[in-house]
Amino acid sequence: GKAGWYDGLFFLRDSSDNFRLYVQGRVHVDFNSYFGPGLGSLPPGAELKTGVSLRRVRPELSREFFHRWQWQLSAELGGTASDNVGGTTDTSSCTPDATGALVCMNQSAAVESASVKPAPTDAFINYIAHPLLNVQVGQFLLPFSFENRMSDNTTPFTERNIVVRNIGAPNLRDIGAMVWGEPENRLFYYSVGIFNGDGPNRLNADSRFDVFSRAFIRPFATRGHGSIRDLHIGASARG
């Protein structure tokens, strides 16, 4: 086997190059501060606090084998948060007494206790039947808009732009299946998939599905020079 570093990725592979393993990870740290009149008069739980947070902490593994199969698995371990902010959350616990009457007590969680809830982010398998025909199944970034398909490591800001987050694909990821492909000269690209429509790590709550698709063409892919080869014109649709 061999190990090395290529194009920003650490890899392990066997001598025949039939099995490849890529080890990745990311840590994004966010700082927030606020200023302006009235901030000190906000009620508990609504106040804006200055501080540093772990926005993303993601270990990532991906693999290719027999030049046909690919998979990726990553989990979110960050998302620093606090539970029961302002001491406004409690739960009611009821038990019957000796007479059969219910006795209820309110139980409150610790105020502003640390909250870290690990969850899968990208978890999918992709099969390459042909460069023009790939089948991808699992949870992954929705094929809607150019930015939504970009890795969080390459977006210019920690958050994606408000149009993508609130209009096009507010869930960013979903569980489903997608067919996609492009020729070897990368002249065009297409993708179309069917998804639960309820967001990442959630079952289909209403037995209805959403369809997302994206396609674009690179007019200078075969005769351009430098970065102009990647110039593209595309469109996305959701139904």
Side-chain angles (χ1 to χ4, degrees):
K2 297 182 179 180
W5 182 267
Y6 178 75
D7 198 24
L9 296 177
F10 172 76
F11 69 87
L12 298 169
R13 68 180 181 88
D14 69 330
S15 57
S16 62
D17 200 26
N18 286 321
F19 298 91
R20 303 174 186 173
L21 177 67
Y22 304 97
V23 181
Q24 307 168 68
R26 69 188 74 182
V27 176
H28 294 171
V29 180
D30 209 0
F31 173 77
N32 292 288
S33 185
Y34 308 90
F35 59 91
L39 293 181
S41 61
L42 293 173
E47 66 270 20
L48 303 176
K49 299 178 180 179
T50 297
V52 180
S53 64
L54 293 176
R55 181 64 181 85
R56 298 184 183 97
V57 180
R58 295 180 187 170
E60 301 175 333
L61 286 175
S62 55
R63 187 168 184 175
E64 300 178 64
F65 48 99
F66 297 120
H67 307 284
R68 291 285 184 182
W69 295 91
Q70 303 168 325
W71 60 256
Q72 181 173 331
L73 176 62
S74 62
E76 178 60 77
L77 305 181
T80 310
S82 298
D83 280 338
N84 199 10
V85 177
T88 58
T89 303
D90 59 27
T91 58
S92 180
S93 177
C94 299
T95 56
D97 62 11
T99 66
L102 287 179
V103 178
C104 297
M105 297 179 60
N106 288 334
Q107 298 177 337
S108 178
V111 177
E112 296 194 6
S113 59
S115 172
V116 177
K117 300 178 176 65
T121 47
D122 294 290
F124 62 83
I125 297 175
N126 184 71
Y127 175 67
I128 308 172
H130 186 274
L132 288 174
L133 180 59
N134 291 252
V135 180
Q136 187 168 322
V137 180
Q139 178 171 289
F140 45 89
L141 291 168
L142 291 166
F144 190 93
S145 81
F146 172 70
E147 183 172 327
N148 198 67
R149 291 292 296 173
M150 294 172 61
S151 165
D152 291 321
N153 283 343
T154 55
T155 52
F157 299 100
T158 305
E159 301 294 345
R160 299 173 190 270
N161 72 66
I162 195 170
V163 175
V164 172
R165 287 187 286 121
N166 292 285
I167 299 177
N171 291 322
L172 300 184
R173 292 173 172 83
D174 211 330
I175 302 173
M178 178 176 73
V179 177
W180 65 276
E182 64 179 355
E184 294 183 0
N185 60 14
R186 303 179 68 221
L187 182 62
F188 65 88
Y189 169 93
Y190 79 92
S191 58
V192 57
I194 183 170
F195 300 87
N196 283 343
D198 292 287
N201 305 311
R202 296 191 62 186
L203 297 175
N204 194 329
D206 53 11
S207 297
R208 300 169 61 186
F209 295 89
D210 285 357
V211 176
F212 288 84
S213 62
R214 173 162 174 76
F216 59 80
I217 185 171
R218 297 184 179 95
F220 303 107
T222 58
R223 58 180 183 274
H225 299 281
S227 59
I228 196 173
R229 290 183 177 180
D230 293 325
L231 180 69
H232 66 271
I233 302 172
S236 301
R238 176 183 180 180

